[in-house]
Amino acid sequence: MPSRVGDEWRTIVVPQTVNAGTTLFSITIGDVPYKFTKNENLTYIWQRSMLSSILLLED
């Protein structure tokens, strides 16, 4: 279950391999959904952390 720490969101994910092209997370801004995927398999490993950053810029 995701939790918020300051301006960060964190979650615990069980060890697994996620196939390329699978949506890892998504956010919606206004009415527009944005999905994050990888072009290669992603393996979550026990006792390892992973950081994903999202930068939103206004046109």
Side-chain angles (χ1 to χ4, degrees):
M1 171 177 262
S3 66
R4 187 175 183 176
V5 177
D7 63 350
E8 297 179 354
W9 286 90
R10 299 178 182 192
T11 190
I12 296 174
V13 179
V14 297
Q16 62 183 300
T17 297
V18 179
N19 292 331
T22 301
T23 299
L24 298 171
F25 59 86
S26 63
I27 60 172
T28 301
I29 301 172
D31 294 329
V32 182
Y34 297 91
K35 297 181 179 183
F36 179 79
T37 61
K38 298 283 281 181
N39 294 328
E40 57 192 30
N41 290 347
L42 177 64
T43 301
Y44 291 101
I45 300 171
W46 182 65
Q47 291 190 334
R48 295 258 178 111
S49 62
M50 178 179 293
L51 174 66
S52 297
S53 297
I54 301 171
L55 176 62
L56 304 175
L57 302 172
E58 187 175 350
D59 288 337

Short mmCIF file of all heavy atoms in Angstrom, two decimals:
data_model
loop_
_atom_site.label_atom_id
_atom_site.label_comp_id
_atom_site.label_asym_id
_atom_site.label_seq_id
_atom_site.Cartn_x
_atom_site.Cartn_y
_atom_site.Cartn_z
N MET A 1 0.84 -1.17 0.00
CA MET A 1 0.00 0.00 0.00
C MET A 1 0.89 1.24 0.00
O MET A 1 1.81 1.34 0.81
CB MET A 1 -0.90 -0.03 1.23
CG MET A 1 -1.66 1.26 1.43
SD MET A 1 -2.77 1.19 2.82
CE MET A 1 -4.26 0.83 1.96
N PRO A 2 0.64 2.18 -0.91
CA PRO A 2 1.46 3.39 -0.95
C PRO A 2 1.29 4.24 0.30
O PRO A 2 0.23 4.26 0.90
CB PRO A 2 0.92 4.13 -2.17
CG PRO A 2 0.16 3.14 -2.95
CD PRO A 2 -0.33 2.12 -1.98
N SER A 3 2.36 4.92 0.67
CA SER A 3 2.28 5.86 1.78
C SER A 3 3.05 7.13 1.40
O SER A 3 4.00 7.08 0.61
CB SER A 3 2.86 5.26 3.06
OG SER A 3 4.24 5.05 2.93
N ARG A 4 2.65 8.23 1.97
CA ARG A 4 3.28 9.50 1.67
C ARG A 4 4.22 9.88 2.80
O ARG A 4 3.87 9.83 3.97
CB ARG A 4 2.21 10.57 1.51
CG ARG A 4 2.77 11.88 1.04
CD ARG A 4 1.66 12.86 0.78
NE ARG A 4 2.22 14.10 0.25
CZ ARG A 4 1.50 15.10 -0.15
NH1 ARG A 4 0.19 15.04 -0.09
NH2 ARG A 4 2.07 16.18 -0.60
N VAL A 5 5.44 10.29 2.44
CA VAL A 5 6.43 10.77 3.39
C VAL A 5 6.91 12.12 2.85
O VAL A 5 7.67 12.17 1.89
CB VAL A 5 7.61 9.78 3.53
CG1 VAL A 5 8.65 10.35 4.47
CG2 VAL A 5 7.13 8.42 3.98
N GLY A 6 6.42 13.21 3.44
CA GLY A 6 6.75 14.54 2.92
C GLY A 6 6.17 14.69 1.53
O GLY A 6 4.97 14.51 1.32
N ASP A 7 7.02 14.99 0.55
CA ASP A 7 6.54 15.11 -0.82
C ASP A 7 6.86 13.86 -1.64
O ASP A 7 6.83 13.88 -2.86
CB ASP A 7 7.13 16.35 -1.50
CG ASP A 7 8.65 16.30 -1.61
OD1 ASP A 7 9.27 15.40 -1.00
OD2 ASP A 7 9.22 17.16 -2.30
N GLU A 8 7.15 12.74 -0.97
CA GLU A 8 7.46 11.47 -1.64
C GLU A 8 6.37 10.45 -1.36
O GLU A 8 5.75 10.44 -0.31
CB GLU A 8 8.78 10.89 -1.12
CG GLU A 8 9.98 11.75 -1.40
CD GLU A 8 11.24 11.13 -0.84
OE1 GLU A 8 11.17 10.09 -0.14
OE2 GLU A 8 12.31 11.68 -1.09
N TRP A 9 6.15 9.58 -2.33
CA TRP A 9 5.26 8.44 -2.15
C TRP A 9 6.12 7.19 -2.13
O TRP A 9 7.03 7.04 -2.94
CB TRP A 9 4.25 8.36 -3.29
CG TRP A 9 3.19 9.40 -3.17
CD1 TRP A 9 3.22 10.66 -3.70
CD2 TRP A 9 1.97 9.29 -2.45
NE1 TRP A 9 2.09 11.34 -3.35
CE2 TRP A 9 1.29 10.52 -2.58
CE3 TRP A 9 1.39 8.28 -1.70
CZ2 TRP A 9 0.06 10.76 -2.02
CZ3 TRP A 9 0.15 8.52 -1.13
CH2 TRP A 9 -0.50 9.75 -1.29
N ARG A 10 5.85 6.29 -1.22
CA ARG A 10 6.62 5.05 -1.07
C ARG A 10 5.67 3.87 -1.01
O ARG A 10 4.54 3.99 -0.57
CB ARG A 10 7.46 5.09 0.20
CG ARG A 10 8.45 6.22 0.19
CD ARG A 10 9.22 6.28 1.47
NE ARG A 10 10.14 7.41 1.44
CZ ARG A 10 11.09 7.59 2.31
NH1 ARG A 10 11.26 6.74 3.29
NH2 ARG A 10 11.89 8.63 2.21
N THR A 11 6.18 2.72 -1.44
CA THR A 11 5.39 1.50 -1.36
C THR A 11 6.33 0.31 -1.21
O THR A 11 7.50 0.40 -1.54
CB THR A 11 4.47 1.33 -2.58
OG1 THR A 11 3.56 0.27 -2.35
CG2 THR A 11 5.26 1.06 -3.84
N ILE A 12 5.81 -0.77 -0.71
CA ILE A 12 6.56 -2.02 -0.60
C ILE A 12 6.05 -2.94 -1.70
O ILE A 12 4.85 -3.13 -1.86
CB ILE A 12 6.38 -2.66 0.78
CG1 ILE A 12 6.98 -1.74 1.85
CG2 ILE A 12 7.01 -4.06 0.81
CD1 ILE A 12 6.73 -2.20 3.26
N VAL A 13 6.98 -3.51 -2.46
CA VAL A 13 6.64 -4.41 -3.55
C VAL A 13 7.33 -5.74 -3.30
O VAL A 13 8.52 -5.78 -2.98
CB VAL A 13 7.09 -3.83 -4.91
CG1 VAL A 13 6.77 -4.76 -6.04
CG2 VAL A 13 6.47 -2.45 -5.13
N VAL A 14 6.60 -6.83 -3.44
CA VAL A 14 7.19 -8.15 -3.23
C VAL A 14 8.19 -8.45 -4.35
O VAL A 14 8.03 -7.96 -5.47
CB VAL A 14 6.12 -9.26 -3.15
CG1 VAL A 14 5.21 -9.04 -1.96
CG2 VAL A 14 5.30 -9.32 -4.43
N PRO A 15 9.24 -9.26 -4.06
CA PRO A 15 10.19 -9.62 -5.11
C PRO A 15 9.47 -10.28 -6.28
O PRO A 15 8.63 -11.16 -6.10
CB PRO A 15 11.12 -10.61 -4.42
CG PRO A 15 11.02 -10.26 -2.97
CD PRO A 15 9.59 -9.84 -2.77
N GLN A 16 9.77 -9.79 -7.49
CA GLN A 16 9.13 -10.31 -8.69
C GLN A 16 9.79 -9.72 -9.91
O GLN A 16 10.53 -8.75 -9.82
CB GLN A 16 7.65 -9.95 -8.70
CG GLN A 16 7.40 -8.44 -8.72
CD GLN A 16 5.95 -8.09 -8.67
OE1 GLN A 16 5.20 -8.48 -9.54
NE2 GLN A 16 5.56 -7.35 -7.63
N THR A 17 9.51 -10.30 -11.06
CA THR A 17 9.92 -9.73 -12.34
C THR A 17 8.66 -9.27 -13.06
O THR A 17 7.70 -10.03 -13.19
CB THR A 17 10.68 -10.75 -13.20
OG1 THR A 17 11.88 -11.12 -12.51
CG2 THR A 17 11.05 -10.17 -14.55
N VAL A 18 8.68 -8.02 -13.49
CA VAL A 18 7.55 -7.44 -14.22
C VAL A 18 7.93 -7.36 -15.69
O VAL A 18 9.01 -6.86 -16.03
CB VAL A 18 7.21 -6.04 -13.67
CG1 VAL A 18 6.06 -5.42 -14.43
CG2 VAL A 18 6.91 -6.10 -12.18
N ASN A 19 7.08 -7.87 -16.55
CA ASN A 19 7.37 -7.91 -17.99
C ASN A 19 7.45 -6.51 -18.60
O ASN A 19 6.76 -5.59 -18.16
CB ASN A 19 6.30 -8.71 -18.72
CG ASN A 19 6.33 -10.17 -18.38
OD1 ASN A 19 7.37 -10.72 -18.05
ND2 ASN A 19 5.18 -10.80 -18.42
N ALA A 20 8.29 -6.37 -19.62
CA ALA A 20 8.41 -5.13 -20.36
C ALA A 20 7.04 -4.71 -20.87
O ALA A 20 6.22 -5.54 -21.25
CB ALA A 20 9.36 -5.31 -21.54
N GLY A 21 6.77 -3.40 -20.84
CA GLY A 21 5.51 -2.88 -21.33
C GLY A 21 4.39 -2.84 -20.31
O GLY A 21 3.34 -2.25 -20.55
N THR A 22 4.60 -3.44 -19.13
CA THR A 22 3.60 -3.42 -18.08
C THR A 22 3.59 -2.04 -17.41
O THR A 22 4.65 -1.49 -17.12
CB THR A 22 3.91 -4.50 -17.02
OG1 THR A 22 3.92 -5.76 -17.64
CG2 THR A 22 2.89 -4.49 -15.89
N THR A 23 2.41 -1.49 -17.15
CA THR A 23 2.32 -0.21 -16.45
C THR A 23 2.77 -0.41 -15.00
O THR A 23 2.20 -1.21 -14.28
CB THR A 23 0.89 0.34 -16.49
OG1 THR A 23 0.51 0.55 -17.85
CG2 THR A 23 0.79 1.65 -15.73
N LEU A 24 3.81 0.31 -14.59
CA LEU A 24 4.33 0.20 -13.24
C LEU A 24 3.60 1.14 -12.30
O LEU A 24 3.35 0.80 -11.15
CB LEU A 24 5.83 0.49 -13.22
CG LEU A 24 6.66 -0.48 -14.06
CD1 LEU A 24 8.09 0.01 -14.17
CD2 LEU A 24 6.60 -1.87 -13.46
N PHE A 25 3.27 2.32 -12.77
CA PHE A 25 2.42 3.24 -12.02
C PHE A 25 1.86 4.26 -12.98
O PHE A 25 2.34 4.42 -14.10
CB PHE A 25 3.15 3.91 -10.84
CG PHE A 25 4.36 4.71 -11.22
CD1 PHE A 25 4.24 6.04 -11.59
CD2 PHE A 25 5.62 4.15 -11.16
CE1 PHE A 25 5.36 6.78 -11.93
CE2 PHE A 25 6.75 4.89 -11.49
CZ PHE A 25 6.62 6.20 -11.87
N SER A 26 0.82 4.93 -12.56
CA SER A 26 0.22 5.96 -13.40
C SER A 26 -0.21 7.13 -12.52
O SER A 26 -0.47 6.96 -11.33
CB SER A 26 -0.96 5.41 -14.18
OG SER A 26 -1.99 4.99 -13.32
N ILE A 27 -0.24 8.31 -13.13
CA ILE A 27 -0.74 9.49 -12.46
C ILE A 27 -1.70 10.18 -13.42
O ILE A 27 -1.59 10.03 -14.63
CB ILE A 27 0.38 10.46 -12.02
CG1 ILE A 27 1.18 10.94 -13.23
CG2 ILE A 27 1.29 9.82 -11.00
CD1 ILE A 27 2.17 12.03 -12.91
N THR A 28 -2.65 10.90 -12.86
CA THR A 28 -3.59 11.66 -13.68
C THR A 28 -3.49 13.12 -13.29
O THR A 28 -3.56 13.47 -12.11
CB THR A 28 -5.03 11.15 -13.47
OG1 THR A 28 -5.08 9.77 -13.82
CG2 THR A 28 -6.01 11.92 -14.33
N ILE A 29 -3.31 13.97 -14.29
CA ILE A 29 -3.24 15.41 -14.08
C ILE A 29 -4.40 16.01 -14.87
O ILE A 29 -4.45 15.88 -16.09
CB ILE A 29 -1.89 15.98 -14.54
CG1 ILE A 29 -0.76 15.31 -13.77
CG2 ILE A 29 -1.87 17.50 -14.36
CD1 ILE A 29 0.61 15.64 -14.25
N GLY A 30 -5.31 16.64 -14.15
CA GLY A 30 -6.53 17.10 -14.80
C GLY A 30 -7.30 15.87 -15.25
O GLY A 30 -7.60 14.99 -14.46
N ASP A 31 -7.56 15.78 -16.53
CA ASP A 31 -8.23 14.61 -17.09
C ASP A 31 -7.28 13.73 -17.90
O ASP A 31 -7.72 12.82 -18.59
CB ASP A 31 -9.39 15.06 -18.00
CG ASP A 31 -10.50 15.73 -17.23
OD1 ASP A 31 -10.70 15.38 -16.05
OD2 ASP A 31 -11.17 16.61 -17.80
N VAL A 32 -5.99 14.01 -17.83
CA VAL A 32 -5.03 13.29 -18.66
C VAL A 32 -4.26 12.27 -17.84
O VAL A 32 -3.53 12.64 -16.91
CB VAL A 32 -4.03 14.28 -19.33
CG1 VAL A 32 -3.05 13.54 -20.22
CG2 VAL A 32 -4.78 15.35 -20.11
N PRO A 33 -4.41 10.96 -18.15
CA PRO A 33 -3.63 9.94 -17.44
C PRO A 33 -2.25 9.77 -18.08
O PRO A 33 -2.11 9.81 -19.30
CB PRO A 33 -4.47 8.68 -17.60
CG PRO A 33 -5.20 8.89 -18.89
CD PRO A 33 -5.40 10.39 -19.02
N TYR A 34 -1.24 9.60 -17.26
CA TYR A 34 0.13 9.33 -17.72
C TYR A 34 0.56 8.01 -17.09
O TYR A 34 0.45 7.83 -15.88
CB TYR A 34 1.08 10.45 -17.29
CG TYR A 34 0.74 11.78 -17.90
CD1 TYR A 34 -0.10 12.67 -17.25
CD2 TYR A 34 1.26 12.14 -19.13
CE1 TYR A 34 -0.42 13.89 -17.81
CE2 TYR A 34 0.95 13.37 -19.71
CZ TYR A 34 0.10 14.24 -19.04
OH TYR A 34 -0.21 15.45 -19.60
N LYS A 35 1.07 7.10 -17.93
CA LYS A 35 1.47 5.78 -17.45
C LYS A 35 2.98 5.61 -17.58
O LYS A 35 3.57 6.01 -18.58
CB LYS A 35 0.75 4.68 -18.23
CG LYS A 35 -0.74 4.74 -18.03
CD LYS A 35 -1.44 3.64 -18.78
CE LYS A 35 -2.93 3.71 -18.51
NZ LYS A 35 -3.65 2.63 -19.16
N PHE A 36 3.59 5.00 -16.57
CA PHE A 36 5.03 4.74 -16.58
C PHE A 36 5.25 3.27 -16.87
O PHE A 36 4.76 2.41 -16.14
CB PHE A 36 5.66 5.12 -15.24
CG PHE A 36 7.14 4.87 -15.19
CD1 PHE A 36 8.02 5.76 -15.77
CD2 PHE A 36 7.63 3.74 -14.57
CE1 PHE A 36 9.39 5.53 -15.74
CE2 PHE A 36 9.00 3.50 -14.52
CZ PHE A 36 9.87 4.40 -15.10
N THR A 37 5.99 2.99 -17.93
CA THR A 37 6.34 1.62 -18.30
C THR A 37 7.83 1.55 -18.59
O THR A 37 8.49 2.57 -18.77
CB THR A 37 5.57 1.14 -19.55
OG1 THR A 37 5.93 1.99 -20.65
CG2 THR A 37 4.07 1.19 -19.35
N LYS A 38 8.36 0.34 -18.62
CA LYS A 38 9.76 0.11 -19.00
C LYS A 38 9.78 -0.69 -20.30
O LYS A 38 8.88 -1.49 -20.55
CB LYS A 38 10.50 -0.68 -17.92
CG LYS A 38 10.59 0.02 -16.57
CD LYS A 38 11.61 1.10 -16.54
CE LYS A 38 12.99 0.52 -16.38
NZ LYS A 38 14.04 1.49 -16.33
N ASN A 39 10.81 -0.49 -21.12
CA ASN A 39 10.95 -1.23 -22.38
C ASN A 39 11.65 -2.57 -22.19
O ASN A 39 11.86 -3.28 -23.16
CB ASN A 39 11.73 -0.38 -23.40
CG ASN A 39 10.96 0.85 -23.80
OD1 ASN A 39 9.73 0.83 -23.83
ND2 ASN A 39 11.66 1.92 -24.09
N GLU A 40 12.01 -2.87 -20.97
CA GLU A 40 12.68 -4.14 -20.67
C GLU A 40 12.08 -4.69 -19.38
O GLU A 40 11.44 -3.96 -18.62
CB GLU A 40 14.18 -3.94 -20.53
CG GLU A 40 14.55 -2.91 -19.49
CD GLU A 40 16.01 -2.49 -19.53
OE1 GLU A 40 16.61 -2.51 -20.61
OE2 GLU A 40 16.53 -2.15 -18.46
N ASN A 41 12.27 -5.97 -19.14
CA ASN A 41 11.78 -6.56 -17.89
C ASN A 41 12.41 -5.85 -16.70
O ASN A 41 13.56 -5.41 -16.76
CB ASN A 41 12.12 -8.04 -17.82
CG ASN A 41 11.33 -8.87 -18.80
OD1 ASN A 41 10.35 -8.41 -19.38
ND2 ASN A 41 11.73 -10.10 -19.00
N LEU A 42 11.66 -5.73 -15.63
CA LEU A 42 12.14 -5.08 -14.41
C LEU A 42 12.02 -6.08 -13.27
O LEU A 42 10.94 -6.62 -13.03
CB LEU A 42 11.30 -3.84 -14.11
CG LEU A 42 11.65 -3.10 -12.82
CD1 LEU A 42 13.06 -2.53 -12.87
CD2 LEU A 42 10.64 -2.00 -12.57
N THR A 43 13.13 -6.32 -12.58
CA THR A 43 13.12 -7.26 -11.47
C THR A 43 13.26 -6.51 -10.16
O THR A 43 14.21 -5.76 -9.95
CB THR A 43 14.28 -8.28 -11.61
OG1 THR A 43 14.11 -8.97 -12.85
CG2 THR A 43 14.26 -9.28 -10.46
N TYR A 44 12.25 -6.68 -9.30
CA TYR A 44 12.30 -6.15 -7.95
C TYR A 44 12.98 -7.20 -7.09
O TYR A 44 12.56 -8.36 -7.07
CB TYR A 44 10.89 -5.88 -7.40
CG TYR A 44 10.19 -4.73 -8.10
CD1 TYR A 44 9.23 -4.96 -9.07
CD2 TYR A 44 10.48 -3.42 -7.76
CE1 TYR A 44 8.58 -3.91 -9.70
CE2 TYR A 44 9.84 -2.36 -8.38
CZ TYR A 44 8.89 -2.62 -9.35
OH TYR A 44 8.24 -1.58 -9.96
N ILE A 45 14.03 -6.81 -6.38
CA ILE A 45 14.84 -7.74 -5.60
C ILE A 45 14.63 -7.46 -4.11
O ILE A 45 14.57 -6.30 -3.68
CB ILE A 45 16.33 -7.59 -5.96
CG1 ILE A 45 16.52 -7.88 -7.46
CG2 ILE A 45 17.20 -8.50 -5.12
CD1 ILE A 45 17.90 -7.56 -7.98
N TRP A 46 14.54 -8.52 -3.33
CA TRP A 46 14.35 -8.44 -1.88
C TRP A 46 15.41 -7.56 -1.25
O TRP A 46 16.60 -7.65 -1.56
CB TRP A 46 14.39 -9.85 -1.30
CG TRP A 46 14.15 -9.91 0.17
CD1 TRP A 46 13.01 -9.58 0.83
CD2 TRP A 46 15.07 -10.33 1.17
NE1 TRP A 46 13.16 -9.76 2.17
CE2 TRP A 46 14.42 -10.23 2.42
CE3 TRP A 46 16.38 -10.77 1.14
CZ2 TRP A 46 15.03 -10.57 3.61
CZ3 TRP A 46 17.00 -11.12 2.33
CH2 TRP A 46 16.32 -11.00 3.54
N GLN A 47 15.02 -6.66 -0.36
CA GLN A 47 15.88 -5.75 0.40
C GLN A 47 16.64 -4.76 -0.46
O GLN A 47 17.71 -4.29 -0.08
CB GLN A 47 16.83 -6.52 1.31
CG GLN A 47 16.12 -7.21 2.45
CD GLN A 47 17.09 -7.76 3.48
OE1 GLN A 47 18.25 -8.06 3.20
NE2 GLN A 47 16.61 -7.89 4.71
N ARG A 48 16.11 -4.45 -1.62
CA ARG A 48 16.70 -3.41 -2.47
C ARG A 48 15.66 -2.31 -2.65
O ARG A 48 14.47 -2.56 -2.70
CB ARG A 48 17.07 -3.96 -3.85
CG ARG A 48 18.14 -5.01 -3.83
CD ARG A 48 19.46 -4.38 -4.26
NE ARG A 48 20.52 -5.35 -4.21
CZ ARG A 48 21.14 -5.83 -5.26
NH1 ARG A 48 20.77 -5.48 -6.47
NH2 ARG A 48 22.13 -6.68 -5.12
N SER A 49 16.11 -1.09 -2.78
CA SER A 49 15.17 0.01 -3.03
C SER A 49 15.36 0.54 -4.45
O SER A 49 16.42 0.38 -5.04
CB SER A 49 15.36 1.13 -2.01
OG SER A 49 16.65 1.67 -2.13
N MET A 50 14.33 1.15 -4.95
CA MET A 50 14.36 1.70 -6.29
C MET A 50 13.74 3.10 -6.21
O MET A 50 12.76 3.31 -5.50
CB MET A 50 13.53 0.83 -7.23
CG MET A 50 13.46 1.36 -8.63
SD MET A 50 12.50 0.28 -9.69
CE MET A 50 13.57 -1.15 -9.73
N LEU A 51 14.31 4.04 -6.91
CA LEU A 51 13.82 5.41 -6.90
C LEU A 51 13.36 5.77 -8.30
O LEU A 51 14.08 5.56 -9.28
CB LEU A 51 14.94 6.36 -6.47
CG LEU A 51 14.65 7.85 -6.55
CD1 LEU A 51 13.55 8.22 -5.56
CD2 LEU A 51 15.91 8.63 -6.29
N SER A 52 12.16 6.29 -8.40
CA SER A 52 11.63 6.82 -9.65
C SER A 52 11.23 8.25 -9.39
O SER A 52 10.52 8.54 -8.43
CB SER A 52 10.39 6.03 -10.12
OG SER A 52 10.74 4.70 -10.40
N SER A 53 11.70 9.16 -10.22
CA SER A 53 11.37 10.57 -10.06
C SER A 53 10.49 11.01 -11.22
O SER A 53 10.66 10.58 -12.35
CB SER A 53 12.64 11.43 -10.08
OG SER A 53 13.45 11.11 -8.99
N ILE A 54 9.54 11.88 -10.91
CA ILE A 54 8.66 12.45 -11.92
C ILE A 54 8.79 13.96 -11.84
O ILE A 54 8.64 14.55 -10.77
CB ILE A 54 7.19 12.04 -11.66
CG1 ILE A 54 7.04 10.53 -11.67
CG2 ILE A 54 6.28 12.69 -12.68
CD1 ILE A 54 5.69 10.06 -11.22
N LEU A 55 9.07 14.58 -12.95
CA LEU A 55 9.18 16.03 -13.03
C LEU A 55 8.06 16.52 -13.94
O LEU A 55 7.97 16.11 -15.09
CB LEU A 55 10.54 16.44 -13.59
CG LEU A 55 10.78 17.92 -13.83
CD1 LEU A 55 10.69 18.68 -12.51
CD2 LEU A 55 12.12 18.14 -14.48
N LEU A 56 7.22 17.38 -13.42
CA LEU A 56 6.11 17.93 -14.18
C LEU A 56 6.42 19.36 -14.55
O LEU A 56 6.72 20.19 -13.69
CB LEU A 56 4.82 17.87 -13.37
CG LEU A 56 4.41 16.50 -12.86
CD1 LEU A 56 3.20 16.61 -11.97
CD2 LEU A 56 4.17 15.54 -14.01
N LEU A 57 6.37 19.64 -15.84
CA LEU A 57 6.62 21.00 -16.33
C LEU A 57 5.38 21.50 -17.05
O LEU A 57 4.73 20.75 -17.78
CB LEU A 57 7.81 21.02 -17.28
CG LEU A 57 9.13 20.51 -16.72
CD1 LEU A 57 10.17 20.41 -17.82
CD2 LEU A 57 9.62 21.42 -15.62
N GLU A 58 5.05 22.74 -16.85
CA GLU A 58 3.89 23.33 -17.52
C GLU A 58 4.35 23.98 -18.81
O GLU A 58 5.35 24.69 -18.84
CB GLU A 58 3.25 24.36 -16.59
CG GLU A 58 1.96 24.90 -17.12
CD GLU A 58 1.29 25.83 -16.13
OE1 GLU A 58 1.75 25.91 -14.97
OE2 GLU A 58 0.34 26.47 -16.53
N ASP A 59 3.61 23.71 -19.89
CA ASP A 59 3.93 24.33 -21.19
C ASP A 59 3.53 25.79 -21.21
O ASP A 59 2.63 26.22 -20.60
CB ASP A 59 3.21 23.62 -22.33
CG ASP A 59 3.83 22.25 -22.60
OD1 ASP A 59 4.99 22.04 -22.24
OD2 ASP A 59 3.12 21.42 -23.20
#
